[in-house]
Amino acid sequence: MTEPRRAVAYPGQETVLTVTVTNTSDVIAGATVRFLGADASWVTVDTPTLRMFPGATERAEVRVRLPEGVPAGERQMAVQVTALGEGGLTSVEEVTLEVPRAPRVDARLEPATVTAGRRAVFGVVVENTGNTTETSSLVGSDAEGKVRFGFVPDTFVLAPGEQITTELRARGRRPWFGSPAVRPFELRIAEPRGDVATGRRGGRPVPDGADAHAPSVASDAPPPAAIGVLVQRPVFNRGLMSMLGLLVAVSVFAVVIAVALTSVVNRSAADRDLALQVAQARAQGATTGTSSVAGAVRLLSSGEVVAGVAVEAFDAGDPTRALATTATDEAGAFELSTLAAGEYKLRFRGAGFSEVWYPSSPSAEQAQSIDLGVGESATGLVVLLGGVPATLSGLVVGADVAGATVQLELPMEEPDIAGAAPAATSGAIVRSVPVGADGSFRLDDVPSPNVYDIVVSKPGFSTQVQRVDVAAGELRAGIEIRLLEGDGTISGTVVGTQGPIGDATVIATAGDVTVRTVTLTDGDVGSFTLRNLPTPATFTVVVAAEGYSAATLSLDLAAGQALTGVSATLGVDSGRLGGMVSVTPSSLGAGGVGVSVSDGARTWQTVSQSAVSPGAWSVSGLAIPGTYTVTFSRADLASQIVSVSLDAHGSVTSGAQRADRVNAAMRSSTAQLTGTVSQTDDRGVVTGPAPNVTVTLSSGTAQYEVSTASTPAAQRGRYAVDALPPGTYTVTFSRSSTASRSSIVTLAAGQSAVLDATLASPASIRGKVTQAGAGAAGVVVNLYRASDYGTAVGPVASTVTTGAGDYVFPEVEAPQHYLVEVRLSATAAALATSAVTTVQNSQALVVDVALPSP
């Protein structure tokens, strides 16, 4: 029985099924439990083989862990239980595992930042990481609403694990003058609306260039799928404007000075008083209100929180004087409270970051106002800080740097402490460029600020990693990374207690260099070679193989050294005991013997084989070192107990020759009685074996009964009684019409005794038929039971006299009453009958009959 028969299975989590098996036979039985319909790596059966005494019930737990990415829906699987031994029955119960829907679509921008004019093109990689087929689309949005987004293709259908690369075409009005406009934007995954193919939303045409997929995003919307930055260069760059400005400044310098002095002189006292009053009222309102704003500041390049950023609130009509200030905490959060009702603009400034006005504007004029009523709060504000994309350049040095690759990766772990060499990473690749023939490399448009790993790799060389902390808009040059050639080798052999081990894993690690291989399984079994190792270095070599405990070596390699002859010896990770069970004195293998192995805290059970290799048994998974008690038992055999000790390598230290030779020669716990029964004739001469003789053994209330064989001829008259409990028995041999014979025999455990018997001849009737004193030849003699004569029942036997008038009925039922009738022929009338006579067992009765004279 399997419980439950239907369960919800979440990928990556264990689903536990309980299998209950009951032994309904009257002998010790075993069964195997298998789970069908799933990959073997997904399933663990805690007790795949069950051993049970008669009437006992055992349980096994089946643990199913479906991997991530298994498609949603119902999966039909089954639990199979098969009885051990010849003709074992098999039971199969179906199990339904339901994998719930887990839709998920991820997206990433390549590159994440593009510097352009009015238009820019981004690559977007969209991947379905869920377990259902998804029909979705991308939508883009920027807080200022100054960028329009288009996608080619604009919708996609992705099966689980499938990915597609789309093209994002961003377009926005570029600034005429000044600094480049930094326009951060977000990408989200959205269900397609309306007829996307025709550019319609809700049945109404969408203007050319508008985002046909853009939904309204709620304040509690999930995080964006990707964040990008469009940096738009101004129409007139800063250099040209600086030249023009210099010329204009020379011309109007005197005018500016004159106007400024005139303005100061002419400003009236009333104007100054009014300005002071407005400022005072504004300051008082900012500290006595009941409204507030709150939110968080995150890094544009990675989305991580940013602490210590100054947050300033300004009156929307006067962005020159801050009414309230605060700074983000360690979680990047901020809050400005006690604000008066009104419209505000927020400015965010941090060291190394570009100044940003909420939500992502470079100036107050383009900033979005926040309208607060009395007692209202604006929460959940998110601001992204960043700078102009950075540029990294440097040189890869070494003997042969041509063909090397430089990758810029996001570290998977927290940055190491200063001065420590970073470990090799496998994070997301931000940029990848080939190294020039002279070893130079350049990484442009790097999102900043952020921490990156620069990874240099080339086949045959050790991978080198250098961690860099990139500031906003930084132009980092002079980075130098040395590419180390792998010119060292380590070779050797992996052996175990039974000899060389094939398919063992060998992993060598030195710093950020990891090289692995496996040992040979053919030819020079167990040998290995690790190549392309950078030298000089100290390597930690870990050797592991299934069923063995791992070994760790520390090896030093000098420059260009080829280290040979390394030997790694693996001990077993668990012990194993096995052997043969036989029955004396035949020495034949005994199947169905229960074998119990116990260390006092835990017990392992198995049954000796009955078919392929009768008497063989084995138990694995034993903790080592340890001492185990091995018990052999079967109902008809005397139990045996052996104590075996195993060392840390699984070898036997006492109790047996070897771990696979824990043998047992068992004696029967019952006895056997065999023999042959013969028969004699009426003269006492043995005539041969007697078939169908009933042999009865009695001991107290116990009684056993068999019959001697009638076929084949070689076994005629033989009998055998097996599985007799030791004791004293009365053995009686009986056969119809023959006198019974009894003997007493005492049997010991394991004894096979022989008891032959000879029975007397069966009862018979013979005689002579005479007429006028001479033998009557050729007359018919009929033998009747006395109770049947004169009825319709015929004779039990009939014969014809010899020339001398003799007749014989050699074997008749006894004891019984008979009479003899004589006729001239079978159809003639009776001439004479004898008196009624009684025949006893084994009696040779003579009955003569005299016929009347003719």
Side-chain angles (χ1 to χ4, degrees):
M1 180 175 66
T2 304
E3 293 182 345
R5 298 287 292 276
R6 185 182 185 90
V8 177
Y10 293 94
Q13 300 182 18
E14 280 191 349
T15 301
V16 181
L17 307 176
T18 301
V19 182
T20 304
V21 182
T22 302
N23 180 10
T24 58
S25 66
D26 55 359
V27 298
I28 298 176
T32 59
V33 179
R34 295 182 60 200
F35 192 77
L36 309 178
D39 190 279
S41 62
W42 303 354
V43 182
T44 301
V45 182
D46 64 346
T47 312
T49 303
L50 303 176
R51 308 295 179 186
M52 297 162 287
F53 289 95
T57 297
E58 295 289 341
R59 291 176 175 81
E61 284 192 349
V62 179
R63 301 179 181 273
V64 184
R65 184 190 295 271
L66 300 181
E68 297 288 350
V70 172
E74 294 185 352
R75 302 179 71 89
Q76 298 298 326
M77 302 179 181
V79 174
Q80 174 185 290
V81 178
T82 303
L84 297 176
E86 295 183 354
L89 298 177
T90 297
S91 175
V92 177
E93 288 188 343
E94 290 190 353
V95 176
T96 301
L97 296 185
E98 180 183 355
V99 181
R101 287 172 51 85
R104 180 177 176 182
V105 180
D106 293 335
R108 68 176 184 272
L109 282 166
E110 293 184 353
T113 302
V114 172
T115 301
R118 185 178 182 185
R119 296 179 178 85
V121 177
F122 296 77
V124 185
V125 179
V126 185
E127 181 178 7
N128 183 358
T129 58
N131 62 2
T132 61
T133 300
E134 292 294 324
T135 301
S136 304
S137 62
L138 286 170
V139 295
S141 64
D142 66 305
E144 298 176 296
K146 294 185 178 298
V147 181
R148 287 182 292 178
F149 304 89
F151 299 91
V152 180
D154 52 2
T155 59
F156 42 84
V157 179
L158 296 179
E162 188 179 359
Q163 69 176 23
I164 186 174
T165 301
T166 67
E167 186 177 274
L168 164 59
R169 299 175 180 177
R171 182 171 61 177
R173 180 174 298 176
R174 61 193 295 193
W176 285 94
F177 308 100
S179 301
V182 179
R183 306 194 189 282
F185 61 89
E186 299 176 348
L187 294 186
R188 298 181 184 271
I189 306 295
E191 296 292 336
R193 298 183 177 182
D195 186 358
V196 178
T198 59
R200 296 177 178 268
R201 183 187 303 126
R204 295 179 5 183
V206 178
D208 181 35
D211 181 6
H213 309 284
S216 58
V217 180
S219 59
D220 57 350
I227 297 176
V229 178
L230 170 61
V231 180
Q232 290 187 291
R233 294 186 296 267
V235 176
F236 298 101
N237 60 40
R238 186 174 299 176
L240 177 59
M241 294 305 301
S242 298
M243 180 65 69
L244 295 175
L246 180 60
L247 295 175
V248 173
V250 173
S251 304
V252 302
F253 178 73
V255 176
V256 172
I257 295 297
V259 172
L261 291 176
T262 302
S263 176
V264 172
V265 173
N266 293 336
R267 179 174 298 173
S268 66
D271 292 336
R272 291 194 301 271
D273 293 340
L274 178 58
L276 292 175
Q277 292 173 6
V278 171
Q280 183 179 5
R282 188 173 295 155
Q284 291 175 350
T287 59
T288 59
T290 58
S291 304
S292 64
V293 293
V297 178
R298 295 183 175 274
L299 197 60
L300 175 64
S301 56
S302 64
E304 296 182 356
V305 297
V306 183
V309 174
V311 183
E312 301 167 297
F314 296 85
D315 186 289
D318 183 10
T320 61
R321 179 180 177 183
L323 303 180
T325 62
T326 187
T328 56
D329 58 17
E330 294 299 324
F334 68 89
E335 182 178 8
L336 290 169
S337 56
T338 66
L339 295 176
E343 289 189 31
Y344 294 90
K345 291 186 177 182
L346 303 182
R347 183 173 64 182
F348 299 83
R349 293 188 296 177
F353 297 97
S354 299
E355 178 180 295
V356 174
W357 288 77
Y358 178 81
S360 57
S361 300
S363 63
E365 291 77 11
Q366 300 173 335
Q368 177 180 323
S369 299
I370 301 174
D371 192 359
L372 298 177
V374 177
E376 288 185 349
S377 297
T379 60
L381 306 182
V382 177
V383 175
L384 301 177
L385 286 187
V388 177
T391 299
L392 305 178
S393 61
L395 192 66
V396 177
V397 298
D400 182 13
V401 299
T405 300
V406 174
Q407 292 184 164
L408 189 68
E409 299 182 3
L410 289 171
M412 295 296 290
E413 76 288 343
E414 291 297 325
D416 294 337
I417 59 174
T425 66
S426 58
I429 299 176
V430 180
R431 296 284 185 277
S432 180
V433 296
V435 175
D438 59 350
S440 62
F441 67 91
R442 179 184 176 92
L443 297 165
D444 295 316
D445 295 329
V446 175
S448 62
N450 209 351
V451 175
Y452 296 100
D453 283 338
I454 301 178
V455 182
V456 181
S457 60
K458 180 182 177 180
F461 291 76
S462 63
T463 300
Q464 300 297 309
V465 181
Q466 182 170 320
R467 182 153 297 170
V468 293
D469 190 348
V470 182
E474 182 178 5
L475 300 177
R476 176 80 64 89
I479 300 174
E480 183 175 295
I481 302 176
R482 180 170 296 278
L483 187 61
L484 300 179
E485 184 175 2
D487 56 355
T489 61
I490 297 176
S491 59
T493 306
V494 178
V495 297
T497 55
Q498 305 298 321
I501 302 174
D503 200 31
T505 301
V506 185
I507 302 175
T509 303
D512 57 349
V513 177
T514 299
V515 180
R516 66 176 62 210
T517 187
V518 294
T519 58
L520 297 179
T521 58
D522 191 18
D524 191 7
V525 177
S527 63
F528 69 91
T529 301
L530 295 163
R531 297 180 173 85
N532 298 326
L533 302 177
T535 59
T538 298
F539 286 87
T540 299
V541 180
V542 178
V543 184
E546 184 177 357
Y548 295 87
S549 57
T552 302
L553 308 174
S554 181
L555 304 175
D556 293 326
L557 282 184
Q561 182 180 3
L563 184 61
T564 61
V566 176
S567 178
T569 302
L570 304 184
V572 293
D573 60 352
S574 62
R576 178 185 177 277
L577 292 178
M580 293 290 298
V581 183
S582 60
V583 177
T584 58
S586 66
S587 298
L588 297 177
V593 175
V595 185
S596 175
V597 180
S598 176
D599 60 358
R602 185 178 176 186
T603 300
W604 294 259
Q605 291 184 336
T606 188
V607 177
S608 61
Q609 296 184 29
S610 301
V612 179
S613 181
W617 70 276
S618 66
V619 170
S620 58
L622 305 176
I624 53 177
T627 299
Y628 294 90
T629 300
V630 185
T631 303
F632 304 90
S633 60
R634 198 174 78 178
D636 60 331
L637 301 175
S639 298
Q640 282 195 23
I641 299 177
V642 180
S643 180
V644 182
S645 296
L646 298 177
D647 60 17
H649 298 284
S651 301
V652 172
T653 57
S654 64
Q657 294 180 352
R658 287 185 359 190
D660 58 351
R661 294 186 181 177
V662 183
N663 303 328
M666 304 181 70
R667 301 185 65 87
S668 174
S669 63
T670 59
Q672 182 187 52
L673 182 64
T674 62
T676 303
V677 180
S678 302
Q679 185 89 50
T680 63
D681 58 15
D682 56 359
R683 295 183 298 275
V685 178
V686 176
T687 58
N692 303 319
V693 175
T694 301
V695 183
T696 305
L697 285 76
S698 301
S699 178
T701 59
Q703 183 169 300
Y704 305 86
E705 185 177 288
V706 296
S707 297
T708 59
S710 58
T711 58
Q715 296 296 320
R716 186 177 176 86
R718 291 189 58 79
Y719 74 93
V721 185
D722 299 320
L724 293 170
T728 300
Y729 293 87
T730 299
V731 185
T732 302
F733 304 91
S734 59
R735 187 183 183 198
S736 176
S737 79
T738 302
S740 299
R741 178 177 177 179
S742 297
S743 298
I744 295 178
V745 63
T746 300
L747 302 175
Q751 181 181 2
S752 181
V754 178
L755 179 62
D756 297 329
T758 302
L759 298 180
S761 64
S764 63
I765 297 176
R766 68 178 59 243
K768 192 176 187 70
V769 178
T770 61
Q771 188 177 35
V779 297
V780 176
V781 181
N782 295 324
L783 180 66
Y784 286 89
R785 291 188 182 93
S787 59
D788 296 338
Y789 192 69
T791 67
V793 180
V796 296
S798 181
T799 189
V800 178
T801 60
T802 65
D806 296 325
Y807 75 91
V808 61
F809 295 108
E811 186 171 339
V812 297
E813 182 181 348
Q816 188 59 267
H817 305 292
Y818 294 99
L819 64 81
V820 177
E821 177 192 70
V822 180
R823 299 170 183 255
L824 289 178
S825 67
T827 59
L831 295 178
T833 58
S834 69
V836 176
T837 58
T838 302
V839 179
Q840 302 296 330
N841 285 331
S842 298
Q843 180 184 0
L845 181 64
V846 177
V847 178
D848 294 332
V849 180
L851 299 179
S853 298

